[in-house]
Amino acid sequence: MSAPSTHLVIADDHPLFRDALRQAVAGVLSTAKIDEAGSFEDLTKLLEQTSDVDLVLLDLSMPGISGFSGLIYLRAQYPAIPVVIVSASDDSATIRRSLDFGASGFIPKRFGVETLRDAILKVMDGDVWVPADTDLSAAADPDMTRLRDRLVTLTPQQVRVLMMLSEGLLNKQIAYELGVSEATIKAHVSAILQKLGVESRTQAVIAAARIAGGQWKQGTPTG
């Protein structure tokens, strides 16, 4: 289990919590390689540089992402890398949506180091870990389920474009950030509208925010 090849990434914008997670991981995987990312941009750059990551511990709310946008992007772009959500927002609906979007587990930040260690070990063994008191039995909202199913059809690049639309960026700004032509962004926006079944950029942003519990919009652009 603690083979030198084990490689984890802790993605959280709070240095103190990253340090706590690092200590928790080191307690059960003493020889693991642990990288840290303080923003979603840092995380994507790191993953572009190395493909040997065994697990990503991801905060739901950090610079560059909000709601489930980061999780959706990672599952689309790196489907072979398990992602565990570590978040302060730990109500049953958030936990269930995290699993619906492909998370391999959900660890509330309120839990202590021992629970973190137990959860990490179980996920590394291939299990899905959620708090024992989580109620996942409530009936799903059909409208939300349909919207979720549409969101997961977006390509990784389309997810990033939708994230930037949610930040209020214009097509030319998104094109600059992603290093592509404005025509390419227009094509992505058209595809996003079609896949989400909406008619405008505003409706697309509202749809994304709905499934994120109103938390999709990012208050401070990271560009």
Side-chain angles (χ1 to χ4, degrees):
M1 173 57 62
S2 57
S5 60
T6 304
H7 184 186
L8 290 87
V9 179
I10 298 171
D12 192 288
D13 60 333
H14 294 96
L16 289 178
F17 190 76
R18 289 203 306 269
D19 187 58
L21 266 181
R22 175 182 282 273
Q23 292 184 38
V25 170
V28 290
L29 302 169
S30 59
T31 61
K33 177 183 178 182
I34 304 172
D35 284 319
E36 298 181 16
S39 70
F40 194 67
E41 182 180 2
D42 291 343
L43 175 60
T44 55
K45 285 181 178 178
L46 192 154
L47 293 176
E48 287 167 3
Q49 294 168 359
T50 178
S51 59
D52 67 344
V53 175
D54 298 296
L55 179 66
V56 173
L57 299 172
L58 178 71
D59 188 6
L60 276 180
S61 181
M62 60 188 296
I65 61 172
S66 59
F68 302 96
S69 59
L71 175 60
I72 295 170
Y73 176 83
L74 292 178
R75 297 310 300 141
Q77 182 72 14
Y78 304 102
I81 301 178
V83 179
V84 170
I85 298 301
V86 184
S87 177
S89 301
D90 56 5
D91 58 279
S92 295
T94 299
I95 294 174
R96 184 168 70 177
R97 287 184 194 172
S98 296
L99 299 182
D100 286 345
F101 281 123
S104 295
F106 191 105
I107 307 173
K109 285 189 174 183
R110 58 184 166 85
F111 284 176
V113 172
E114 290 303 318
T115 302
L116 289 173
R117 290 175 177 173
D118 179 61
I120 291 167
L121 272 181
K122 281 186 165 54
V123 170
M124 293 299 293
D125 280 338
D127 295 331
V128 173
W129 194 97
V130 297
D133 60 354
T134 304
D135 179 14
L136 299 176
S137 63
D141 180 337
D143 289 338
M144 297 296 274
T145 299
R146 282 192 292 271
L147 179 54
R148 180 202 70 206
D149 291 345
R150 288 176 171 178
L151 274 172
V152 298
T153 67
L154 300 180
T155 66
Q157 193 77 325
Q158 288 165 1
V159 174
R160 296 196 76 172
V161 171
L162 181 56
M163 290 159 67
M164 292 178 175
L165 289 177
S166 298
E167 293 173 5
L169 298 185
L170 303 174
N171 284 358
K172 62 181 180 181
Q173 294 172 309
I174 299 173
Y176 176 79
E177 290 290 336
L178 297 182
V180 298
S181 70
E182 191 171 345
T184 297
I185 298 304
K186 288 180 179 178
H188 281 317
V189 171
S190 295
I192 290 169
L193 300 185
Q194 182 177 14
K195 288 183 177 182
L196 295 186
V198 297
E199 297 180 354
S200 70
R201 297 158 66 103
T202 299
Q203 289 177 345
V205 171
I206 291 172
R210 274 191 66 209
I211 204 160
Q215 300 175 8
W216 179 287
K217 287 188 178 181
Q218 180 68 29
T220 53
T222 60

